[in-house]
Amino acid sequence: MSDTTLPAADRSPRFPFVTAGAALGVLFAFLFLMWLVTTREKAADAQRAADTKAEPKPDAATKLDEVKARNEAALNGVGAKMSRDEARGKLLARLKGPGDTMPFPVPEPVQPAAPKKDEPKKDAKEKQ
């Protein structure tokens, strides 16, 4: 009888050389890539350290002043068709009376609920 004609229970199990080889290959590829990443990070950290030594770090107050100046320039209309104050004045000029409001809704302040008065409950018998 040939090997293929034997029932599945009678066959001797073989060692999975292909599966074991593939698993080992994946393991070594993973270890190589991890080593490669760690050596690249060390080189990148050294490069960043060299860059920071060449350029002094600006202090927080100077940076804050720059950010405030950019924000104020944006609010004043640098690069816009008109400044914020001009646009507000134009909108307010279009209002016809004191009851008019701006074209965009403003949420009304929430009023606290009025306290309920204690009223005695009347039964249906008392009403009759």
Side-chain angles (χ1 to χ4, degrees):
M1 283 188 156
S2 70
D3 196 26
T4 58
T5 59
L6 292 176
D10 293 341
R11 290 188 195 158
S12 62
R14 296 182 180 169
F15 186 77
F17 289 105
V18 175
T19 305
L24 284 174
V26 169
L27 174 69
F28 285 118
F30 174 76
L31 291 175
F32 172 73
L33 291 175
M34 291 301 293
W35 172 80
L36 188 66
V37 167
T38 55
T39 57
R40 296 285 171 125
E41 284 180 357
K42 290 178 185 175
D45 289 342
Q47 181 67 24
R48 282 190 215 114
D51 289 344
T52 56
K53 289 179 184 176
E55 186 177 312
K57 187 175 181 181
D59 62 333
T62 306
K63 193 171 184 179
L64 179 64
D65 291 338
E66 289 176 7
V67 170
K68 283 183 179 180
R70 280 185 284 169
N71 289 344
E72 191 62 34
L75 289 174
N76 287 335
V78 173
K81 293 182 180 179
M82 68 176 72
S83 70
R84 173 187 56 173
D85 296 331
E86 290 175 26
R88 187 172 189 274
K90 186 176 179 182
L91 280 174
L92 290 175
R94 290 177 43 198
L95 298 178
K96 296 176 184 169
D100 291 342
T101 60
M102 295 287 233
F104 41 88
V106 177
E108 295 291 327
V110 179
Q111 299 292 330
K116 295 182 179 180
K117 295 182 181 180
D118 294 333
E119 296 180 8
K121 293 185 179 181
K122 297 181 181 179
D123 292 333
K125 294 179 184 177
E126 292 178 5
K127 290 183 181 180
Q128 292 177 1

